[in-house]
Amino acid sequence: MSGETLIQVEHLYRDYGNLHALADVNLTLNRGEVLGFLGPNGAGKSTTMQIISGNLAPSSGSVRINGFDILDEPRQAKAALGFLPEQPPLYLELTVIEYLEYCAKLNRIPRADIAKAISRACERCGLGDVQKRLIANLSKGYQQRVGIAQAIIHTPEVVILDEPTVGLDPIQIREIRSLIRELGSDHSVILSTHILPEVQSTCDRVIIINQGKIALEDSLAGLDSRLRKNIITVSLSNPPEIQILTNLDGVDTVEQLSEGRYQLHCSNEFSPADFAGSAVNNNWQLNELTPQTGSLEQMFIDITCSDNDLHSSEEVTA
Amino acid sequence: MIIFSIAQRELRNMFNSLLAWIVLSGISLVVFLILVTLVKSYLENPANNLGGIGVTGTIVSTVFYFCSYLFILIAPMLTMRSFSGEFKNKTSQLLFSTPISMTEIVLGKCLGLYLFSLIAAVIPLLITLSLVFGTQLDAGLYFSSLLGFLLVTFTFMTIGVFASSLTEHIGLSAFSSIGIILFLFWLVELLASLIKVDALQSALQYLSISKHASPFYNGQMNSSDIIFFILIITTFIVLTIRKLDSYRMQH
C-alpha cells in the first residue's frame, strides 16, 4: 500500500444545523488502490463523497486531491477526479454519445481527443451497442454504466463511486463489480457501499464509518486476520469443570451455553485436533465441535450496532 | 470554450423540448396580428402618424415593444429549468464535480438564453421588414428598437436564471422570476409614485426597467440607459454565482 497519496482528507467536519453528519473524518487514498467505504445508511458516506467531489463544502477540515485543495484550487483538484453520485447525473433526453460528448467538454478534453475518449469510455463500460440510444430508454444497469463512463471519460487519477450497484439486479451487480475491479487496475477508486460482499470482492482496503465517525480502517488482509480469531462451539456429554477447559492451550475464555454445551473463545494457537484428543483421553464424550469463523458482516454489525442502532443489521445484508 | 458548450447545451435543451417551438410560433402569431392591426389602423387613418414619427415609429417600434412585454411570461418559462431542473435531476452534481467554475456555469447558461432572445428577435425583425415593400423604413429607429428589445429580454432572462438558482422546485422558480420581473418592470414605478420621500422615490424610479426601455422605442439610445441594463444584468449574474457558491454550504 505504499505509493503516492492521491486523496488526503483531514479532520473533516460537517454539520447540518444541529446534526453532526461528520466528525473528524480522516482518510487517504494511494495510487492504484481500491478503497471500500462502508457504513449503514445515514452514516455519512454520501456526505463524505459529496465533500470530496466538491459538491458540498465542509464545515471545517480539508480535502486535497492530487495535492490540490478542493476549495482553494478546485479546477486542478477536480481535473483529477471522476465522480458518480448516488443518483447518476444523466440528461435523459440525450443519447449516450451526446451525453458523453458534453461530459468530455465539461472536463476540458481537447476537441480533437473527444471522439477517442468517448469510444474508450464506452468500450470499458460495455456501452458499444447502446451508444445511439436515448439515455431515458436504457435499463437501470445501463444508465449506471453511462454514469460510470461519465466518471472515467477524462481518465482521472481518482474515481469516486457512491453506491454504484444500488437498485440493480444480481447479474448487473456482478457486471458492475467486475468493471470496478477493472477500473482499480489503472485508477484509484473510492467505492462507497453498504453491501459487504461488494467490499470483499473488490477492495484492497476498507474504512467503516458509523454515525459520522470512522469506526475502523484496515486492509482487507488485516480484516481477514482479525476475523480469524475464532469461536468454537463444543458439546460434551460428560463435561469437566469449566476451569479445566479454560486452562487448555489456546483457549482464552469459556462461556457455557447450556448443559454440556460451551463456546470457547480461542486464539490462533488453538488446535481442534488437540482438543478432540484430550476429550477422548479424559472421556468427556465429545458430541459436537463447530468452528465459527467470524464474518465481516458480524464485525460490521458489532461495530455499527454498538450504539444500539437496530436498523443497521437489516441493511447490511446483501 | 466551456461557456459555449454550456450555452449550446442550454439552447439545444430548449429546442429538444416543445417549449421553444411553441414560444417561437406564439411570438410569430402575436407579431403578425399586431402588425396587421397597426398597418390597418395606419392606412385607415394616417393622422395616427403622431408628430411625424412615420411608419417605423408607429408600427415597428410598437411591435418590438409588445414583443418585449411577451417576455415577461416567456423568460420565466424558458429559464425555470436552468438550475431548478439540474438540482432536481441531480445533474448539478455533474457540473459541480467537473473542473469548471460557477462563473463559467452561470455565464454559459445566460449566454444560451441570450442566444434564444437573438433567435426570437429574428421573427419581429423579418415580419416588420416586409413593410419595406410598401414604404421606407427608418434604419436608426429600427436598430434602436431592436437593441431595446434585446436589452430588455436579456435582463428578463438573467432574472429568470437567478430565480431558478434559488430553488429546486420548477414552478416556484417560474413564479419568483415573474414576481421579480413584474416588480422591476412596472410595480417599482407604482411604488415610487406612492412614496413621497424624494431620495427613495427617485431611487425606485431609477430601478424601473420600463422607464429605461421606452427611450429605445422612440429612437433614443442613451448611454445612461445602456449602462443601467448592463448594471442590472451584471448584478443578477453575480447574485446567481453567489447563490450557487452558497448552495454547497447549506442543505
Side-chain angles (χ1 to χ4, degrees), chain A residues 14 16 50 78 85 91 108, chain B residues 86 93 96 104 249 251:
Chain A
R14 170 73 205 196
Y16 296 104
Q50 298 269 324
K78 287 173 183 173
Y91 293 97
R108 296 180 192 275
Chain B
E86 304 252 13
Q93 299 191 338
F96 294 164
E104 286 170 316
M249 299 304 297
H251 70 232

Side-chain angles (χ1 to χ4, degrees), chain B residues 14-57:
Chain B
M14 282 185 266
F15 283 101
N16 271 341
S17 72
L18 217 49
L19 188 63
W21 301 105
I22 293 175
V23 164
L24 290 181
S25 47
I27 293 176
S28 312
L29 185 68
V30 171
V31 168
F32 175 74
L33 288 177
I34 295 173
L35 189 80
V36 170
T37 317
L38 287 174
V39 170
K40 190 162 169 274
S41 80
Y42 189 86
L43 290 177
E44 280 171 358
N45 188 5
N48 282 352
N49 182 0
L50 297 166
I53 50 175
V55 179
T56 323

Side-chain angles (χ1 to χ4, degrees), chain A residues 14 16 50 53-57 75 78-79 83 85 87 89-91 93-94 98 102-103 105-108 150, chain B residues 2 5-6 8-9 12-13 16 86 89-101 104 248-251:
Chain A
R14 170 73 205 196
Y16 296 104
Q50 298 269 324
S53 64
N55 275 284
L56 259 184
R75 205 165 132 178
K78 287 173 183 173
F83 179 47
Q87 185 184 340
L90 304 173
Y91 293 97
E93 70 276 13
L94 298 185
E98 284 171 339
Y102 181 54
C103 295
K105 284 179 187 162
L106 290 182
N107 280 301
R108 296 180 192 275
Q150 162 273 125
Chain B
I2 298 281
S5 303
I6 297 175
Q8 191 192 7
R9 179 84 270 287
R12 288 182 71 169
N13 198 17
N16 271 341
E86 304 252 13
N89 297 329
K90 308 282 181 194
T91 42
S92 54
Q93 299 191 338
L94 176 69
L95 295 176
F96 294 164
S97 56
T98 43
I100 43 180
S101 65
E104 286 170 316
R248 295 189 294 182
M249 299 304 297
Q250 37 151 340
H251 70 232

Side-chain angles (χ1 to χ4, degrees), chain B:
Chain B
M1 280 298 288
I2 298 281
I3 294 178
F4 293 117
S5 303
I6 297 175
Q8 191 192 7
R9 179 84 270 287
E10 186 74 12
L11 197 60
R12 288 182 71 169
N13 198 17
M14 282 185 266
F15 283 101
N16 271 341
S17 72
L18 217 49
L19 188 63
W21 301 105
I22 293 175
V23 164
L24 290 181
S25 47
I27 293 176
S28 312
L29 185 68
V30 171
V31 168
F32 175 74
L33 288 177
I34 295 173
L35 189 80
V36 170
T37 317
L38 287 174
V39 170
K40 190 162 169 274
S41 80
Y42 189 86
L43 290 177
E44 280 171 358
N45 188 5
N48 282 352
N49 182 0
L50 297 166
I53 50 175
V55 179
T56 323
T58 44
I59 298 179
V60 177
S61 302
T62 318
V63 167
F64 277 106
Y65 182 68
F66 266 107
C67 275
S68 61
Y69 260 122
L70 287 181
F71 270 75
I72 294 178
L73 286 175
I74 292 172
M77 277 198 291
L78 292 172
T79 56
M80 64 186 179
R81 272 168 222 281
S82 290
F83 284 107
S84 305
E86 304 252 13
F87 290 147
K88 209 170 149 74
N89 297 329
K90 308 282 181 194
T91 42
S92 54
Q93 299 191 338
L94 176 69
L95 295 176
F96 294 164
S97 56
T98 43
I100 43 180
S101 65
M102 294 296 178
T103 314
E104 286 170 316
I105 299 174
V106 176
L107 289 180
K109 293 262 177 198
C110 288
L111 185 64
L113 290 155
Y114 298 163
L115 287 175
F116 184 88
S117 281
L118 275 173
I119 294 171
V122 171
I123 296 171
L125 198 69
L126 286 182
I127 294 183
T128 49
L129 263 183
S130 64
L131 294 174
V132 147
F133 296 112
T135 176
Q136 277 200 321
L137 293 175
D138 177 347
L141 184 53
Y142 217 111
F143 179 75
S144 80
S145 303
L146 177 64
L147 184 66
F149 169 80
L150 289 178
L151 286 173
V152 169
T153 52
F154 285 5
T155 308
F156 290 172
M157 293 291 198
T158 320
I159 292 174
V161 169
F162 168 69
S164 178
S165 74
L166 296 177
T167 167
E168 61 179 57
H169 302 286
I170 291 165
L172 199 59
S173 144
F175 271 114
S176 37
S177 53
I178 292 179
I180 302 173
I181 289 171
L182 275 183
F183 181 78
L184 286 179
F185 191 73
W186 173 57
L187 282 179
V188 83
E189 259 184 307
L190 216 66
L191 202 64
S193 66
L194 293 176
I195 291 173
K196 293 289 174 255
V197 185
D198 276 353
L200 198 57
Q201 191 173 30
S202 54
L204 282 174
Q205 269 167 355
Y206 180 76
L207 281 178
S208 159
I209 293 176
S210 66
K211 193 164 137 50
H212 290 275
S214 51
F216 286 100
Y217 302 114
N218 296 327
Q220 287 179 39
M221 288 185 277
N222 301 323
S223 53
S224 63
D225 293 328
I226 295 178
I227 290 171
F228 166 82
F229 281 108
I230 293 175
L231 275 180
I232 195 163
I233 288 172
T234 317
T235 308
F236 277 102
I237 286 179
V238 171
L239 284 176
T240 313
I241 296 171
R242 296 294 300 251
K243 176 63 202 160
L244 288 179
D245 269 325
S246 71
Y247 183 77
R248 295 189 294 182
M249 299 304 297
Q250 37 151 340
H251 70 232

